[in-house]
Amino acid sequence: MPDTIYNKTLPNLEFAGHNILVVGDVMLDSYWQGLTERISPEAPVPVVHVTDKTMRVGGAGNVAVNISSLGSGANLLALLGFDEAADDLLSLLKNNDVNSHCIQNKSVSTTTKLRVLAQHQQLIRLDFESQTFKLDFNDVAEKYNRLLEKTDLVVLSDYGKGVLSDAKKFISAATERGIKVLVDPKHKDFSVYQGAYLITPNKKEFEAVVGKCGSQEELEEKALTTIQNCDLGGLLITQGEKGMTLVLKSGKSVHFPARARDVFDVTGAGDTVIASLAAGLSSGLSVEDAVHLSSIAAGIVVGRVGTASVTVDDVLHAEHIENSTSITHKIMSQKELDEFVNQARMHNKSLVMTNGCFDLMHSGHVRYLEQSAKLGDMLIVAVNSDASVQLLKGSQRPINKLNDRMTVLAGLSSVDAVVAFKEETPQNLICRIKPDILVKGGDYQVDQIVGRECAKEVRVINLVEGKSTTNMVNKIRGK
C-alpha cells in the first residue's frame, strides 16, 4: 500500500512568470460532428450529416495549450511540414498564447487526426502522418539548447513520431543546467529517459514495460525497481478510475484518488496531467501538491469532448465542489448552472426543470419533485428570491429565507441543481436553459405555464391533495 493517501487542499496557485518548454510530436486534431439517422445504401455504415467542424492542437501542442491556459509561459518546439495543417496549427497556437518555435521541414507532412462523431460519439478516426525517424534533428537540438537559457522546466511529450527518438540528449542538456525534465513516455524501454525528474505513464503503458501488476503493492514495487534501474527521479502512474500513484526515488509512494465524477472522453487527459504537473512544479509547488493539481485538472478534462484545456478557475471551482457537501455543490449561480447544463448536454443527459417558492417544504413537494425527476436524467429547480415571493404571496412571506429554502431542496436526492431567480417569473431563466421537459404542479393548463415556448415538452403533475404551504401557514397562525 502507498505510504499515504493525499487528502490536502491546494495552496495558492500563481503560475504567471514561469517559462515551460515543451518538446515533442505535435498534431492537428480535427473533429467533424453531426447527426446520423440512417444507414448508407452503399455499405452497412451510418451516414453522418456533418453540421460542425472544429480543429484543436494535439499531442505536444495540446500540452503547451494546457500550460498556457493555466497562466504559465508556454513555448513549443516541434517539427511541422509546409502544408495547410501546419498553417492551421500555427494559427491555433498563436490564438492560445503559445510561443511557437516549431521548425518546418519540406520532408515532413504535418500529422493530422480526423475524428468523425455523431451524437457526440466517435464513429471513426482517420490518421494522416509520416514517420520522421530518418530525419536530421540537429536544427531541433540547436534551437532547444538556445531556448534552455530562458526555461524553468522542460516537458518532453513523446508520441512516437520521431522528434524524441534520442530523448537522452534533451534530458542531459537540461539537467546539466539544473532544469527538471518531465516526460510523457511512448517508448517501451524507460531507460531511454534516463535522468528525467518524473515520467508519467498510464497503467497500460507501465505494464507494457514491467509486466502485469496484480496489486497496488506490486505496482509500487515494480515502479521503484524501474526508477532505480533507469535512474529516474520518480514515476507518476495514472490508473483511470483508480486515480494516480506517485512513486519517488526515495521509496516514498503517495496515492491520489480519482477526481472525475463523469468520464466522457479521455482524449488528451495525459496531456493535461503533465501540463498541470509542469505548471505546478515550475511555480514552486511540492511534487505532491503538483500531482494533486494534475489529478483535479484531469478529472475536469475527461468530462469534456475532445482535447481540452483547463484554467485555474476551473481547478479552484472543482476543488470547491469536491470539498463541499453534496448539498452545497448543488446550489449554483446562473453562471455555474450554464456550465452544468453544457456538461449535461455533452453527456446526452435530458434536463427536467421546475420552479416555485418552496417556502415550507412538505410531503407533497417531495413527491412532486420525485415524479419530476423520473421524467429525465437531471432535475433543475428554480427558486423565487425572497423579494419575488413577497410580490406573489404578500409581505409576510417567505417564512424561510432563500438560502434556507435552497439548502432544503439541495438535500433531496431527486434534485440535481438549485438556482435562484429575482424576477416575478422564471421566464428568462427557462429560456436560457431550454429544458427538455418543463414541469409544473397543480391544475395548470399547458398554455398557462410560463416559459413553455422555450421547452421541448411541458408536463403537468397533480399535487398531493390537502398539502399546501398556505394551509400550513394558516394552521400555524390559528386561522
Side-chain angles (χ1 to χ4, degrees):
M1 294 296 292
D3 299 329
T4 58
I5 295 176
Y6 189 98
N7 60 3
K8 303 175 186 176
T9 57
L10 282 171
N12 293 332
L13 302 179
E14 182 53 63
F15 302 131
H18 304 284
N19 288 314
I20 299 170
L21 174 59
V22 182
V23 185
D25 305 300
V26 69
M27 56 202 70
L28 180 68
D29 285 327
S30 292
Y31 297 84
W32 291 7
Q33 302 191 58
L35 300 174
T36 179
E37 298 175 340
R38 62 191 180 95
I39 301 298
S40 170
E42 302 167 2
V45 294
V47 174
V48 180
H49 175 62
V50 176
T51 57
D52 182 56
K53 295 181 180 181
T54 58
M55 293 183 296
R56 297 174 185 168
V57 183
N62 187 42
V63 177
V65 169
N66 271 268
I67 289 169
S68 174
S69 180
L70 285 167
S72 295
N75 300 277
L76 177 65
L77 176 57
L79 201 60
L80 300 175
F82 283 96
D83 47 31
E84 185 177 350
D87 294 339
D88 290 332
L89 272 171
L90 292 171
S91 177
L92 287 168
L93 291 169
K94 183 178 180 180
N95 292 341
N96 284 281
D97 296 321
V98 174
N99 300 311
S100 173
H101 303 279
C102 295
I103 296 172
Q104 292 183 271
N105 189 308
K106 293 180 180 179
S107 302
V108 174
S109 62
T110 305
T111 299
T112 302
K113 295 184 178 182
L114 170 61
R115 297 169 176 88
V116 180
L117 301 91
Q119 283 85 18
H120 298 297
Q121 297 297 317
Q122 187 176 148
L123 299 181
I124 192 172
R125 191 182 88 181
L126 306 175
D127 288 5
F128 307 87
E129 61 185 352
S130 62
Q131 295 294 332
T132 59
F133 290 98
K134 296 181 179 179
L135 294 177
D136 183 353
F137 292 103
N138 285 333
D139 51 352
V140 176
E142 289 173 7
K143 180 169 280 194
Y144 174 75
N145 288 324
R146 291 197 301 271
L147 290 170
L148 285 179
E149 296 175 7
K150 297 181 179 180
T151 294
D152 299 309
L153 187 142
V154 170
V155 176
L156 302 185
S157 181
D158 192 354
Y159 273 77
K161 308 301 179 186
V163 171
L164 296 174
S165 55
D166 193 357
K168 282 184 183 179
K169 286 186 177 180
F170 291 98
I171 295 169
S172 61
T175 55
E176 285 172 4
R177 293 171 170 83
I179 300 171
K180 289 184 175 71
V181 179
L182 308 181
V183 182
D184 188 358
K186 183 61 66 175
H187 208 284
K188 291 185 178 181
D189 176 7
F190 287 170
S191 66
V192 303
Y193 306 119
Q194 179 182 346
Y197 179 70
L198 277 180
I199 65 174
T200 62
N202 59 41
K203 187 178 180 183
K204 182 179 178 181
E205 291 168 336
F206 179 67
E207 289 184 331
V209 175
V210 303
K212 198 73 175 175
C213 297
S215 66
Q216 179 70 15
E217 290 84 352
E218 185 179 3
L219 179 141
E220 291 171 21
E221 289 172 2
K222 289 184 174 179
L224 184 56
T225 299
T226 303
I227 290 167
Q228 293 168 344
N229 291 341
C230 299
D231 189 22
L232 304 171
L235 277 163
L236 176 61
I237 304 166
T238 56
Q239 303 179 70
E241 71 280 359
K242 293 183 179 179
M244 302 179 181
T245 299
L246 172 68
V247 182
L248 299 173
K249 194 171 188 175
S250 64
K252 183 178 182 179
S253 60
V254 185
H255 188 70
F256 299 76
R259 306 288 168 177
R261 293 189 301 276
D262 294 301
V263 177
F264 184 67
D265 190 347
V266 298
T267 304
D271 298 337
T272 301
V273 168
I274 201 166
S276 47
L277 186 63
L281 288 171
S282 67
S283 70
L285 292 185
S286 70
V287 64
E288 292 178 22
D289 286 344
V291 174
H292 176 51
L293 165 67
S294 68
S295 71
I296 294 174
I300 296 167
V301 81
V302 296
R304 298 174 174 174
V305 181
T307 51
S309 57
V310 298
T311 65
V312 170
D313 286 343
D314 291 333
V315 171
L316 293 177
H317 179 64
E319 188 174 49
H320 168 71
I321 289 176
E322 182 179 303
N323 293 331
S324 301
T325 65
S326 59
I327 292 176
T328 56
H329 87 247
K330 291 183 184 180
I331 300 173
M332 304 179 186
S333 66
Q334 291 193 14
K335 182 178 180 181
E336 289 170 335
L337 183 64
D338 288 340
E339 175 66 15
F340 174 86
V341 169
N342 289 337
Q343 293 300 312
R345 298 283 190 213
M346 288 166 56
H347 287 72
N348 294 321
K349 302 291 187 183
S350 58
L351 297 175
V352 182
M353 188 171 182
T354 190
N355 65 276
C357 300
F358 299 100
D359 192 2
L360 292 178
M361 289 288 289
H362 51 70
S363 61
H365 287 133
V366 175
R367 292 179 186 177
Y368 164 69
L369 292 171
E370 286 177 345
Q371 291 179 59
S372 299
K374 290 177 181 178
L375 298 175
D377 297 315
M378 314 292 280
L379 175 60
I380 300 168
V381 181
V383 186
N384 294 73
S385 68
D386 292 343
S388 177
V389 175
Q390 284 185 344
L391 287 173
L392 294 171
K393 304 291 186 180
S395 61
Q396 295 191 14
R397 297 282 299 277
I399 303 298
N400 290 306
K401 297 298 183 183
L402 177 63
N403 286 342
D404 294 328
R405 291 183 282 127
M406 294 177 77
T407 299
V408 172
L409 285 164
L412 299 176
S413 61
S414 58
V415 176
D416 296 290
V418 184
V419 65
F421 62 93
K422 298 178 180 179
E423 300 82 6
E424 186 174 354
T425 76
Q427 173 82 31
N428 293 337
L429 183 59
I430 292 169
C431 291
R432 179 174 178 163
I433 301 304
K434 296 181 174 60
D436 297 287
I437 302 175
L438 178 63
V439 183
K440 196 66 181 173
D443 55 359
Y444 284 88
Q445 298 297 314
V446 171
D447 59 5
Q448 298 175 316
I449 295 175
V450 170
R452 62 190 178 278
E453 68 277 11
C454 295
K456 293 181 181 178
E457 182 182 350
V458 179
R459 300 282 290 272
V460 177
I461 294 177
N462 293 328
L463 296 178
V464 177
E465 192 172 338
K467 300 291 183 181
S468 83
T469 300
T470 300
N471 289 344
M472 291 174 70
V473 172
N474 289 337
K475 187 175 181 179
I476 292 168
R477 291 173 176 168
K479 293 183 179 181

